[in-house]
Each structure stands twice: as structure tokens, then as C-alpha cells.
Amino acid sequence: MKKIKGSWALITGASSGLGAEFAKLLSKNGVNLVLTARRTEKLKELKDSLEQKNHVSVHTISNDLSSNNGASLLYKDVCSLNVPISILINNAGVGLNGRFKDMSLEDHMSMVKLNVLSLTELTHLFVTDMLKKKIRGYILLLSSVVGFGPCPNFSAYAATKAYVLSLAESLNHELKSEGISVTALCPGPTRTEFFSTAKGSPGKVLQTFMMEPEEVASEGLKGMFARNRVVVPGLITKISASSNRWLPKSILLKIADKLG
Ligand SMILES: NC(=O)c1ccc[n+]([C@@H]2O[C@H](COP(=O)([O-])OP(=O)(O)OC[C@H]3O[C@@H](n4cnc5c(N)ncnc54)[C@H](OP(=O)(O)O)[C@@H]3O)[C@@H](O)[C@H]2O)c1
């Protein structure tokens, strides 16, 4: 990762889980950071520890990306820092676990705003910026293994991640000639705050296969710097993703319903 020393990355959802791991790994390699999430205290703690340990510059911005103007406010705040963002990690996201009908419309809309609308807006704003400044940028979009197929009990969440996966694959192709790569990271169950926020808990089978966030973040960054289209971390996750291609939908839906 020598070439990226001294560059700047924006990481959304950096207050916990995968976002915090991306921040630790990038700063170890000399990348300066702009970290954003809603929990300011957590961001400040991370900033202090990374600046001290890894001697990089870190800015924090508190922002709610499920609010209507969250993404545009964040973009404005990042612009006012006057730092050239060449790495964008669109990581902030939430899940909703349970039957679609049993969850409030408000929760669904808030998840779609965060996982789909803000991610799209930030990607557009920073791609435009990178093109204008002739930056050969790297963009990582957090999808999920459930982005490869339907997933009862995570129905709307899986649909948001299918959108992200499709967007990344198309954009990687569209922007290749401009020197910008867009990579989808598609993890399986990972030990973060995700399941408690999603108001669910991974069943026994899923718990056996849970990956650690460090491993997932590290594979994601390797794939992003290799300018790959899609990264599926871990063998079990790869098998699970590819089963969407060869198992009949009726069987897939039954298995996913039992596991979720
Ligand atoms: N863990 C898994 O099993 C798994 C599997 C596949 C994909 N993923 C994806 O990985 C990404 C990271 O999740 P994680 O596993 O690291 O979970 P996490 O520990 O819950 O982290 C989620 C991050 O998103 C931020 N966030 C949530 N709502 C937000 C909002 N309205 N505005 C701004 N930031 C918000 C949270 O910060 P604040 O609460 O401070 O705002 C937090 O930093 C998500 O996109 C998730 O869908 C996770």
C-alpha cells in the first residue's frame, strides 16, 4: 500500500464495526482520514488513538445520513476541509431483521435513505469531484452476501444491498477508462454491532461462520486497491454467494428463511 501514503480517505459509519477497522488499517498505511457517523464521542476516541499511534491527520464530522439532506451536508463539510479525497468508503448502513410487515414503514424508509439514497448521492458527488480534479480514485461500497439473492427476514435490507452490488459493478465498468474504480464488498455475518442494531440475532449456524471485522476490512481494502469489481471475503461466504447461481430459488428462499 506504499503508493497511498499521505492520501486522504473519507469513511462513513466509522464509529464502530467495519468502518472503524477500515480507519485503523488505512491509517497504519499512512492514509489521512475524514471519519463520519452520528456518535461524535466514538469518532473522537478513534481520532485521538489513530493520530497518536499512526501519526496521520484525522478529521471527524458528525452526520445523520438517513436524514433528507445528510449526504449533501456531509459533502459540504468535507469540501470545507479542503483535502483531496481519493478514497471513498461508503460503509454506513443498517439492517432490519424480521418479517417485512412487522416493521414500521418509518424504519424501512430510514434504512433505504441510508443504504441506498445517501450512498448514491455521496458516490455521485465524489465521482464528479474526482473527475474534475483528475484523481485516480478508489471507491468501496458496502454491499453484503445477501445482495446476491432474495433473503426472507432481511427482505428490504437484502434488496438495498442488491442495489449497491449492481451499482458498483456497473460503475466499475463505466469509470475504468477515467481511472476510478468502484468495488462492492459483500461480507457474510461479521462480528460488529450490526445484528443488535438490526433488532435480530444471528442463529446458531450463522454464529459458527461469523468473521471478525479486521479480516473482512482487510480483504475489502486489498480488493479495492486491486480495483476489483466485487470482493466476497471468506470461503463460506463465497460458497453462499455462488449458491445463488446454481440452487433453485424455491430452495434458496426456504434455506434463507430458516437461517435468518
Ligand atoms: N456485520 C455484518 O454481518 C454485515 C454483513 C454484510 C454487510 N454489512 C454491512 O457493513 C456495513 C457496516 O456495518 P457493520 O457491520 O460495521 O455494523 P455497525 O457496527 O453497526 O456499524 C454501522 C455504522 O454505520 C453508522 N450509521 C448507522 N446509521 C447511520 C446514520 N443514520 N447516519 C450515519 N451513520 C450511520 C454507525 O454509526 P452511528 O450509529 O454512530 O451513526 C456505524 O458506524 C453496513 O453497510 C452493513 O450493512 C455488515
Side-chain angles (χ1 to χ4, degrees):
M1 288 205 234
K2 262 185 195 152
K3 277 188 288 180
I4 53 162
K5 197 171 176 200
S7 57
W8 281 88
L10 168 63
I11 305 174
T12 70
S15 59
S16 64
L18 290 169
E21 293 307 324
F22 290 127
K24 289 176 196 163
L25 289 169
L26 285 172
S27 63
K28 253 190 206 164
N29 286 280
V31 176
N32 303 304
L33 303 169
V34 182
L35 306 178
T36 181
R38 291 165 303 179
R39 287 171 292 176
T40 317
E41 272 316 302
K42 289 225 163 211
L43 292 178
K44 289 262 155 66
E45 274 170 36
L46 187 59
K47 167 189 161 77
D48 291 345
S49 107
L50 298 182
E51 281 184 335
Q52 204 180 11
K53 248 196 233 160
N54 300 329
H55 311 289
V56 291
S57 300
V58 182
H59 294 288
T60 63
I61 299 172
S62 172
N63 182 286
D64 182 353
L65 286 171
S66 64
S67 67
N68 282 336
N69 55 357
S72 56
L73 278 179
L74 174 60
Y75 178 69
K76 251 174 125 180
D77 285 346
V78 175
C79 286
S80 69
L81 294 173
N82 209 14
V83 296
I85 300 293
S86 57
I87 301 166
L88 168 64
I89 303 198
N90 254 320
N91 162 77
V94 290
L96 277 176
N97 186 206
R99 292 303 201 208
F100 181 77
K101 65 177 172 54
D102 295 336
M103 287 169 287
S104 74
L105 180 58
E106 197 186 353
D107 283 349
H108 281 304
M109 290 301 106
S110 167
M111 176 179 68
V112 171
K113 272 185 195 151
L114 174 65
N115 295 9
V116 174
L117 297 183
S118 285
L119 174 139
T120 307
E121 193 173 343
L122 285 176
T123 304
H124 193 275
L125 289 166
F126 282 97
V127 162
T128 308
D129 219 48
M130 286 173 186
L131 289 172
K132 211 161 61 191
K133 296 176 182 158
K134 299 203 178 344
I135 291 174
R136 292 176 57 77
Y138 299 95
I139 298 177
L140 187 66
L141 305 184
L142 257 290
S143 176
S144 163
V145 69
V146 301
F148 287 95
C151 189
N153 300 316
F154 269 114
S155 47
Y157 172 71
T160 67
K161 295 300 180 180
Y163 171 93
V164 174
L165 175 58
S166 174
L167 180 72
E169 292 196 271
S170 302
L171 290 187
N172 191 292
H173 178 81
E174 280 186 23
L175 294 167
K176 197 176 272 175
S177 58
E178 319 270 0
I180 298 171
S181 54
V182 183
T183 303
L185 174 59
C186 305
T190 308
R191 220 175 301 282
T192 65
E193 295 176 11
F194 174 83
F195 283 96
S196 60
T197 313
K199 298 176 186 127
S201 69
K204 273 201 178 127
V205 181
L206 290 189
Q207 275 184 33
T208 327
F209 299 121
M210 271 212 157
M211 287 183 74
E212 297 304 323
E214 300 89 322
E215 277 178 279
V216 173
S218 164
E219 283 205 40
L221 291 181
K222 269 187 211 142
M224 178 186 79
F225 287 123
R227 299 195 183 274
N228 293 340
R229 256 196 324 269
V230 181
V231 179
V232 181
L235 180 65
I236 300 294
T237 321
K238 284 185 180 68
I239 294 169
S240 161
S242 73
S243 68
N244 278 283
R245 260 182 258 131
W246 49 267
L247 265 182
K249 276 267 152 72
S250 55
I251 296 176
L252 268 173
L253 284 162
K254 278 186 191 141
I255 296 173
D257 196 6
K258 283 242 157 61
L259 291 177

